[in-house]
Amino acid sequence: MSEQSIEIVPAQETTLVVLSPSTPPPADQNPALLYLVTLRPTGRRSQAQALNVIAGLLSSGRETAISFPWHTLRYQHTTAVRAQLAEKYKAATANKMLAALRSVLKEAWRLGQLTAEEYHRAIDVKTVRGQSLPKGRSVKPDELTQLLDACERDSSPTGRRDAAMLAVLYAGGLRRSELVNLKLADYNREAGSLQILDGKGGKDRMCYVSGGATAALAEWLEVRGLEAGPLFLPINQGLNPLLELTV
């Protein structure tokens, strides 16, 4: 496999590597191909696309994942790639692309195209840190009051259910997923407690409701009944709770 000439050129605020056109190695010596064939079809497509992007960054668009000479990359090149990915993509996407790059370089090392030292230096780049704001927004106290007032004006079972749901969400600090997974058996009316299964960590926790939340739940249970099943039920067009569809 012939070595490629490498030129470092400035590109905006980061440095890219530009390589001259290359001849793809045989399939059994191609680290990108060997990596991609280990993946499932869906993963293969996404990671091939990621490698195409990286190869394009390193060659001004002249190379693809299959034709790029991955064995020529060193630490300074992968660092430049990380900087470009961090600028162009969200952290999760950039890190997924870096994972593909590391995997290809590992195959190049396994093929004897990189020494152990060259390989470990090349992959020694930090993950991209990022912070995404959670979906939705906090509800202001006056907005919550308006929502509860709207439920109070609705004397139907839907109004009672929605008032109880809002009260429990606010009083217990529950996630939406935790709310919809509540069962009637999770609510201890005497203690005013709700047993909640944390869907993220699989751990149970207890929260307590009182005052208005307790009253809202009591009014809802008068409509719902005390049959086993989800604590909060959908309402049909006849304004009746649909227990049989949700148990």
Side-chain angles (χ1 to χ4, degrees):
M1 185 180 303
S2 61
E3 294 292 332
Q4 306 296 318
S5 61
I6 300 178
E7 177 189 0
I8 307 297
V9 298
Q12 297 179 353
E13 297 181 357
T14 52
T15 301
L16 290 180
V17 184
V18 178
L19 295 97
S20 60
S22 61
T23 301
D28 62 351
Q29 294 295 310
N30 191 311
L33 276 177
L34 291 176
Y35 162 61
L36 292 172
V37 297
T38 65
L39 305 177
R40 294 182 178 181
T42 53
R44 189 179 307 156
R45 287 191 294 269
S46 64
Q47 294 300 72
Q49 184 179 9
L51 292 173
N52 281 332
V53 170
I54 294 172
L57 288 174
L58 291 167
S59 64
S60 294
R62 295 197 299 266
E63 300 282 358
T64 66
I66 305 305
S67 65
F68 188 81
W70 299 102
H71 69 289
T72 62
L73 294 186
R74 300 296 182 263
Y75 171 74
Q76 63 268 31
H77 310 141
T78 54
T79 300
V81 169
R82 179 200 176 279
Q84 281 289 298
L85 296 180
E87 291 177 4
K88 295 176 181 292
Y89 300 94
K90 292 183 178 181
T93 302
N95 288 326
K96 183 178 180 180
M97 297 171 78
L98 286 174
L101 175 59
R102 292 188 183 97
S103 296
V104 171
L105 293 177
K106 187 172 186 178
E107 293 299 332
W109 165 67
R110 286 171 169 169
L111 290 168
Q113 298 170 1
L114 287 171
T115 66
E117 183 177 358
E118 289 169 342
Y119 161 64
H120 286 292
R121 286 178 181 270
I123 66 169
D124 189 23
V125 293
K126 296 180 180 179
T127 58
V128 177
R129 293 186 178 275
Q131 184 174 6
S132 298
L133 293 176
K135 295 181 179 179
R137 62 176 178 82
S138 60
V139 177
K140 298 178 180 179
D142 60 330
E143 292 178 312
L144 179 63
T145 300
Q146 293 174 15
L147 289 170
L148 291 172
D149 287 344
C151 292
E152 187 176 352
R153 291 193 298 270
D154 183 357
S155 59
S156 71
T158 302
R160 294 188 181 186
R161 181 202 61 188
D162 293 351
M165 291 172 66
L166 286 170
V168 169
L169 280 170
Y170 183 76
L174 276 66
R175 303 185 185 96
R176 288 174 296 178
S177 59
E178 293 173 337
L179 181 80
V180 299
N181 288 325
L182 283 173
K183 305 294 185 185
L184 179 66
D186 296 329
Y187 178 45
N188 185 324
R189 287 178 290 168
E190 293 183 0
S193 63
L194 286 164
Q195 183 174 356
I196 301 162
L197 177 64
D198 186 345
K200 291 189 174 182
K203 296 181 180 179
D204 289 344
R205 62 185 176 91
M206 299 293 291
C207 76
Y208 295 86
V209 295
S210 60
T214 301
L217 276 170
E219 291 187 9
W220 162 241
L221 291 178
E222 288 181 3
V223 176
R224 181 202 177 278
L226 300 179
E227 296 86 355
L231 180 58
F232 298 106
L233 305 173
I235 307 294
N236 66 9
Q237 292 182 350
L239 299 181
N240 296 310
L242 295 174
L243 180 63
E244 66 274 9
L245 296 182
T246 56
V247 174

